[in-house]
Amino acid sequence: MATIPDQQSSHGSYHEKEQVTVTLDERRRAALEVIDNAPFSWFHVKVCLVASVGFFTDAYDIFAINIAATMLGYVYGHTGNQLNTNQSLGIKVATPVGNLVGQLLFGWLADVVGRKRMYGVELMVMIIATFAQALAGQAPAVSVLGVIIVWRFVMGVGIGGDYPLSAIISSEFAATRSRGRLMTAVFAAQGWGQFSSALIGVIVVQAYKNEILNSAFPCIVPVDYMWRLVIGLGCVPGVFALYFRLTIPETPRFTMDIERNVAQATADITDVMNPKNHTTDEDAHVQHVTAPKATRADFVAYFSQWKNLKVLIGTSYSWFALDIAFYGLGLNSSIILTAINFGSPTGNKTSSLYVYQNLYNVCVGNLILSVAGLIPGYWVSFLFIDSWGRKPIQLMGFSVLTVLFVIMGFAYDKLDASTSGKNAFVFLYCLTNFFQNFGPNTTTFVIPGEAFPTRYRSTAFGISAATGKLGAIISQVGFAQLINIGGTNRFVQHIMEIMALFMLTGVFSTLLIPETKQRTLEDISNEEQEGYITEAPRAARS
């Protein structure tokens, strides 16, 4: 392990001052080397767990609406006991819109005021908004669905903030050789969040089975309890993680490169290696150094270089293309499975038994999709991301997804014509979930957290992620407007074909991004590190 050179006095002859300048720059590089070569420790486990709980909660809160929307249809749907197109679109698209705002806002704030100062704030927003949804009520002046939409937007802002903060904190604390796996482990919690939302749905439906069967159709009272429980329980994991987020230390890279406090950063690195004795010295002497500073002019200068701009374009568009399909499928899986009559209950559609069977099948269907494709895909990525690399996984994922969507779209009628064909469609559907996660869904999260300099890392990540959520918004609006062209759910096959086109464009945008495996964050940033910091002019000292 590299050692951090001792600090030398800042007083003395001209020659000594020149030597101090060299020493400070060398100290910075030596400190970064300590982080990059650090052995895997309990602190890395703690960072992973604290960040993972946030992504678990994010995914639960986002995808629980897939189940709750069906329940809301029975309680508040006035046409066929289901939400109309605009109602369904509203409650599903509100969160991605909030995500977009949160990713841009918190991404920028994390680069301006610090990762630590913002970490936990976004979780508090999520907790409050999730709990508020469960308490939403009807009144003459406002619809309960309108209240839910507003709170889902607010919740989305918090979830959006979690993306850049968790990604950047885990990236900047990780050792080079295991950074991909650490970030993937954090992101993989999404799979368990989706799984848990479906599992809680199954448990709640079973818990209220007798109440449903003993109620008059459409079983408004028990189902009203059910959707509130499914959504409201999403705030529980966040409550447990809040304390640990508020007490996590600032990343040494932010302290050195943005606050320009070399002494505190090197002390923090030593403490991180021994977290039981972690201390933050508020009175630590601030090293007077000059380093590249985040300004509008500097931002334009950095990203006006094609070698840097093409990376931002590549990470942003790849995420955009991926989210067209990921959220198009993820938030509408119940509709797609219903379109092919897979697992749909039979019998009288105006009976209490049908309500129970329909809700149970929706939950179980989402549970199967999580287990069969989503969760395995994350962990296969975990195994290969630091050996095979990010770029090959993303290229492979987009390529395979293109083929799968082409088959599901152009062979839709044949697959829908028989029971074996429907089973094959569900199998292909699970494969798309698998190769989204063993592919671009994981890598579009990892690469932006590595590919930019410290002063713009969170901002650029936020831009990339927000572009992805723009894709999710377009996907939701497009899905809602297109799905019933030619009849109920008749446009599904063409939606699959459109998704195939976007997956193909993702192959080309991937060519713009660099391979980041086994490279330090500073090397990836395309900036010269020798002489990165210099002693500040005397007039600038305080």
Side-chain angles (χ1 to χ4, degrees):
M1 180 184 298
T3 57
I4 303 172
D6 293 333
Q7 179 184 354
Q8 296 186 16
S9 171
S10 59
H11 303 283
S13 66
Y14 176 82
H15 174 75
E16 289 171 331
K17 290 177 182 176
E18 289 298 307
Q19 185 62 42
V20 169
T21 303
V22 173
T23 302
L24 290 176
D25 188 57
E26 289 179 342
R27 253 187 113 197
R28 172 184 176 271
R29 284 182 281 138
L32 293 172
E33 189 177 349
V34 170
I35 301 174
D36 292 334
N37 296 323
F40 193 75
S41 66
W42 169 246
F43 180 79
H44 293 106
V45 174
K46 177 184 174 181
V47 170
C48 182
L49 291 176
V50 172
S52 295
V53 173
F55 273 98
F56 176 95
T57 306
D58 296 349
Y60 183 103
D61 291 340
I62 290 173
F63 293 100
I65 200 63
N66 198 15
I67 296 166
T70 305
M71 298 176 177
L72 288 166
Y74 284 114
V75 182
Y76 302 107
H78 301 298
T79 305
N81 296 300
Q82 60 185 9
L83 301 179
N84 63 39
T85 298
N86 289 332
Q87 290 172 332
S88 179
L89 173 61
I91 63 172
K92 289 180 180 178
V93 82
T95 302
V97 172
N99 291 162
L100 188 153
V101 174
Q103 285 159 346
L104 291 174
L105 177 62
F106 281 87
W108 171 69
L109 286 173
D111 278 340
V112 173
V113 302
R115 287 78 159 118
K116 173 181 170 58
R117 290 186 180 94
M118 299 310 302
Y119 210 38
V121 175
E122 87 295 348
L123 193 57
M124 286 188 275
V125 173
M126 289 162 52
I127 292 169
I128 293 169
T130 302
F131 190 66
Q133 287 175 67
L135 300 178
Q138 187 97 353
V142 64
S143 161
V144 65
L145 294 176
V147 175
I148 293 172
I149 288 170
V150 169
W151 282 114
R152 286 195 70 77
F153 169 81
V154 175
M155 181 189 75
V157 173
I159 291 174
D162 194 34
Y163 273 70
L165 286 164
S166 290
I168 301 309
I169 286 174
S170 57
S171 171
E172 292 184 348
F173 274 123
T176 301
R177 65 181 173 276
S178 59
R179 187 175 60 238
R181 280 168 289 170
L182 181 65
M183 296 181 73
T184 301
V186 169
F187 195 58
Q190 270 200 341
W192 293 109
Q194 288 178 257
F195 171 83
S196 297
S197 66
L199 180 62
I200 292 296
V202 170
I203 293 171
V204 169
V205 170
Q206 285 296 91
Y208 279 87
K209 178 179 180 180
N210 290 334
E211 285 82 353
I212 294 173
L213 296 178
N214 293 327
S215 299
F217 180 86
C219 314
I220 291 175
V221 174
V223 176
D224 195 43
Y225 280 105
M226 289 161 58
W227 76 261
R228 294 177 190 275
L229 281 171
V230 169
I231 288 180
L233 287 172
C235 70
V236 175
V239 172
F240 288 106
L242 185 58
Y243 168 79
F244 297 100
R245 288 206 167 189
L246 294 173
T247 56
I248 203 164
E250 182 58 86
T251 70
R253 281 183 163 93
F254 180 88
T255 305
M256 273 193 291
D257 291 355
I258 299 178
E259 293 184 333
R260 298 185 291 284
N261 187 347
V262 178
Q264 183 62 61
T266 52
D268 287 346
I269 293 170
T270 302
D271 290 337
V272 163
M273 296 302 104
N274 187 12
K276 289 185 178 180
N277 297 324
H278 175 76
T279 58
T280 300
D281 184 2
E282 300 292 345
D283 298 320
H285 173 63
V286 177
Q287 298 287 346
H288 296 286
V289 298
T290 298
K293 188 176 182 181
T295 63
R296 185 177 300 176
D298 182 72
F299 182 89
V300 171
Y302 179 82
F303 285 105
S304 63
Q305 300 178 61
W306 174 243
K307 66 178 181 179
N308 301 323
L309 180 61
K310 73 175 183 178
V311 178
L312 185 60
I313 293 173
T315 58
S316 298
Y317 184 82
S318 296
W319 208 329
F320 174 87
L322 180 275
D323 274 5
I324 289 281
F326 186 75
Y327 282 89
L329 295 182
L331 293 180
N332 298 289
S333 57
S334 301
I335 295 174
I336 295 172
L337 293 177
T338 299
I340 62 170
N341 294 314
F342 184 83
S344 298
T346 56
N348 182 7
K349 292 188 177 183
T350 59
S351 68
S352 300
L353 178 61
Y354 185 90
V355 173
Y356 164 75
Q357 290 177 335
N358 188 36
L359 294 177
Y360 181 79
N361 288 354
V362 166
C363 296
V364 171
N366 282 276
L367 199 65
I368 292 171
L369 292 177
S370 296
V371 174
L374 290 170
I375 294 174
Y378 285 116
W379 291 103
V380 174
S381 286
F382 175 85
L383 293 176
F384 289 100
I385 196 161
D386 279 322
S387 55
W388 193 4
R390 288 70 154 150
K391 194 169 181 177
I393 290 176
Q394 186 163 309
L395 279 170
M396 177 273 300
F398 273 129
S399 300
V400 173
L401 287 169
T402 301
V403 174
L404 289 173
F405 280 119
V406 165
I407 295 172
M408 293 168 69
F410 288 97
Y412 179 85
D413 288 332
K414 290 185 178 180
L415 293 171
D416 192 36
S418 64
T419 301
S420 60
K422 291 175 181 178
N423 291 336
F425 183 91
V426 173
F427 174 73
L428 292 171
Y429 193 92
C430 290
L431 281 182
T432 62
N433 285 329
F434 177 83
F435 282 105
Q436 281 175 337
N437 291 333
F438 180 38
N441 190 40
T442 298
T443 54
T444 53
F445 172 81
V446 172
I447 296 170
E450 304 174 306
F452 305 100
T454 302
R455 65 188 183 281
Y456 297 128
R457 188 168 293 127
S458 185
T459 301
F461 185 100
I463 292 171
S464 301
T467 308
K469 289 305 168 285
L470 178 62
I473 294 166
I474 292 173
S475 178
Q476 284 307 298
V477 174
F479 192 99
Q481 300 304 317
L482 296 175
I483 185 67
N484 293 322
I485 292 178
T488 303
N489 297 334
R490 285 298 304 155
F491 209 75
V492 168
Q493 65 187 99
H494 301 302
I495 289 176
M496 297 295 174
E497 294 161 6
I498 293 170
M499 289 180 179
L501 176 61
F502 278 101
M503 296 303 98
L504 181 61
T505 62
V507 173
F508 296 105
S509 63
T510 301
L511 300 177
L512 295 174
I513 63 176
E515 177 53 65
T516 59
K517 71 167 184 174
Q518 306 305 324
R519 295 173 64 192
T520 68
L521 296 179
E522 286 64 39
D523 177 42
I524 302 167
S525 71
N526 286 329
E527 291 189 314
E528 177 60 48
Q529 294 304 301
E530 187 171 349
Y532 187 83
I533 63 173
T534 58
E535 186 182 16
R538 181 177 295 274
R541 299 183 185 183
S542 56

